[in-house]
Amino acid sequence: MAHAVGTFEVTMKPELLSEVAGATALGRMSLSKVFQGQLEATSAGEFLSAMGSEKGSAGYVAMERVTGTLDGRTGSFVLQHAGTMTRGTPELKVTVVPDSGTGELVGLSGTLRIDIVEKKHHYEFSYSLGD
């Protein structure tokens, strides 16, 4: 597995819910990111969330298309997020959607880890290009 590290900035904007989602007290946001480091890219996606009945408990899912350059290879791919927070303890899995890579990123697979340190987002991307 190869590793890419760097930082990113994220912008989230509340969006209207479908009739079904609105009736179930879900939250919906659009997201956009700018990645710096070994992944030089932008992304756009959708985020759905639900709050738990206990303080600090919630869950979210998101899909985002990332477009740019990964260690000198240009293309795009899709990341799938599955996150939970149990009374303040987070658990997050971010995975490349199989066969979503385009251009020089065809065959990309991997996982992305996110750390937030002093309000700054850092990523570590463990990936393979199937070569």
Side-chain angles (χ1 to χ4, degrees):
M1 290 292 254
H3 295 277
V5 296
T7 60
F8 67 91
E9 297 173 14
V10 61
T11 303
M12 299 183 74
K13 176 183 158 197
E15 298 290 345
L16 295 175
L17 292 170
S18 70
E19 187 175 316
V20 171
T24 57
L26 298 177
R28 177 176 167 236
M29 300 187 123
S30 60
L31 63 93
S32 61
K33 293 180 183 168
V34 177
F35 293 87
Q36 297 93 24
Q38 292 169 286
L39 175 61
E40 291 286 331
T42 59
S43 75
E46 292 280 323
F47 175 101
L48 285 175
S49 64
M51 301 299 287
S53 61
E54 295 289 327
K55 183 178 180 177
S57 294
Y60 90 90
V61 294
M63 301 294 272
E64 68 178 304
R65 177 165 301 278
V66 179
T67 304
T69 303
L70 174 61
D71 280 335
R73 297 181 186 214
T74 302
S76 69
F77 57 94
V78 176
L79 290 174
Q80 177 179 332
H81 299 237
T84 58
M85 181 153 325
T86 305
R87 295 181 188 98
T89 301
E91 184 176 330
L92 176 61
K93 183 175 181 182
V94 183
T95 306
V96 175
V97 171
D99 300 316
S100 65
T102 68
E104 295 174 305
L105 300 177
V106 167
L108 180 70
S109 62
T111 59
L112 187 121
R113 192 179 90 219
I114 298 172
D115 291 310
I116 304 171
V117 179
E118 296 179 3
K119 299 184 183 181
K120 185 160 182 121
H121 290 78
H122 299 262
Y123 68 84
E124 181 178 341
F125 190 19
S126 300
Y127 69 92
S128 172
L129 281 161
D131 345 269

